[in-house]
Amino acid sequence: MGVAYSVGEVDHLYTFFVEWTPDLYTKHGRKQRFLMVDKQKLAMIDSLLCESSPKNWEIITVRKSARSQSVCSTPSVCMSEDEEETLPALNHTSYILQEHHIESLAAHLPPRVQGCVWDLVYSTVQHGTSLRTLYRKTAQIERPVLLLIKDLHNQVFGAFSSHTFRVSDSCYGTGETFLFTFGPEFKTFCWSGENSYFVRGFLDSLQMGGGGGPFGLWLDADLCRGSTFSCNTFRNQPLSPHQDFTIQAVEVWTFQ
């Protein structure tokens, strides 16, 4: 006879197993030296493991989308049986992202946002082409954001920022911030450690990366034009073959 567990108990068990055996439960697992668990959850896990006989346990498989909902405690978007299990759930339609974009980006996001639902907070298609509108839409967000750009030559590139975009008197952000491009193959450009010019917002422009010359990524006030050059902050290549580019679409996503 099988053992019945409540949803809360299953959540704690699954979180425990994910942390201690990432090679079995996650595609891009990372080994951890230790795991901090509060006493109440540890006691619950201990009682579950002690009270139940292993021969009565039934091993089942659960889709990653459902597991992410359990671990992150966020609503998940339903996925068809044929969809790739490793892809995170998106709560809105993207006018830029395709499946291979999502898969590549998801594998390079910091651990604290992996497995979370992607939430669209700004889109030029929906909200118009205005940097001020972008700032307004992201003003209340206290989570990392993903900036996506598609130029008129259909090149896709952008940045992950540890902090949301805002008008600022100085540069802000942390070493989690990075630039990326899909032109022609996917590449990321992480913090070089040379300076901390991660992000700076003005009313008439948004800048990412810098030091000793041009910016890694620069967007104008109307989100119509931009530029990308190598910069000291990320030691990146230009993100687009066209260093001065015209924007077709911009999206900003965050993580729930």
Side-chain angles (χ1 to χ4, degrees):
M1 181 177 179
V3 180
Y5 300 118
S6 70
V7 173
E9 292 172 334
V10 172
D11 282 352
H12 295 320
L13 276 175
Y14 177 71
T15 303
F16 176 81
F17 289 135
V18 164
E19 295 291 346
W20 281 100
T21 55
D23 55 323
L24 295 178
Y25 289 91
T26 62
K27 182 177 180 181
H28 304 284
R30 290 177 172 81
K31 293 185 179 179
Q32 300 190 12
R33 294 178 183 268
F34 60 88
L35 172 67
M36 295 183 64
V37 183
D38 63 54
K39 291 183 179 180
Q40 182 179 0
K41 291 182 180 179
L42 187 60
M44 178 179 291
I45 292 171
D46 191 42
S47 65
L48 289 172
L49 294 177
C50 292
E51 293 175 3
S52 306
S53 173
K55 63 183 179 181
N56 292 329
W57 289 17
E58 180 183 1
I59 299 176
I60 62 173
T61 60
V62 183
R63 292 186 60 81
K64 184 175 180 181
S65 59
R67 294 203 303 263
S68 297
Q69 179 179 354
S70 174
V71 175
C72 293
S73 299
T74 55
S76 177
V77 176
C78 294
M79 299 174 68
S80 69
E81 291 296 322
D82 295 328
E83 285 186 283
E84 182 65 40
E85 293 186 7
T86 60
L87 296 181
L90 277 63
N91 69 353
H92 290 87
T93 299
S94 173
Y95 295 90
I96 298 177
L97 290 169
Q98 297 181 13
E99 187 172 299
H100 71 280
H101 297 138
I102 301 171
E103 184 173 8
S104 297
L105 286 168
H108 289 79
L109 294 177
R112 65 178 173 134
V113 299
Q114 287 189 1
C116 294
V117 175
W118 294 20
D119 181 28
L120 181 65
V121 293
Y122 172 78
S123 167
T124 52
V125 174
Q126 295 183 26
H127 306 115
T129 56
S130 169
L131 184 58
R132 287 174 182 259
T133 303
L134 187 156
Y135 288 147
R136 188 172 67 253
K137 289 290 184 180
T138 60
Q140 303 303 317
I141 295 174
E142 297 182 357
R143 300 183 297 274
V145 290
L146 185 68
L147 171 68
L148 290 160
I149 301 165
K150 186 175 185 179
D151 68 17
L152 284 184
H153 297 275
N154 293 321
Q155 296 291 326
V156 175
F157 49 93
F160 174 89
S161 175
S162 61
H163 294 71
T164 191
F165 301 122
R166 64 179 188 271
V167 176
S168 57
D169 295 328
S170 59
C171 294
Y172 62 90
T174 71
E176 285 184 322
T177 304
F178 64 86
L179 304 180
F180 63 85
T181 181
F182 286 93
E185 59 185 18
F186 181 65
K187 291 182 180 179
T188 60
F189 303 97
C190 299
W191 181 38
S192 68
E194 188 164 336
N195 61 48
S196 299
Y197 303 154
F198 299 112
V199 186
R200 187 170 182 186
F202 297 88
L203 288 176
D204 61 354
S205 66
L206 177 65
Q207 305 168 0
M208 300 194 68
F215 304 108
L217 182 60
W218 177 91
L219 303 178
D220 72 0
D222 297 321
L223 297 181
C224 291
R225 297 188 180 277
S227 63
T228 174
F229 296 91
S230 178
C231 71
N232 293 345
T233 310
F234 302 106
R235 289 293 178 189
N236 59 290
Q237 301 170 6
L239 305 181
S240 172
H242 307 274
Q243 294 179 323
D244 294 305
F245 55 84
T246 301
I247 296 171
Q248 181 179 163
V250 173
E251 293 179 352
V252 178
W253 296 77
T254 190
F255 308 91
Q256 296 183 348

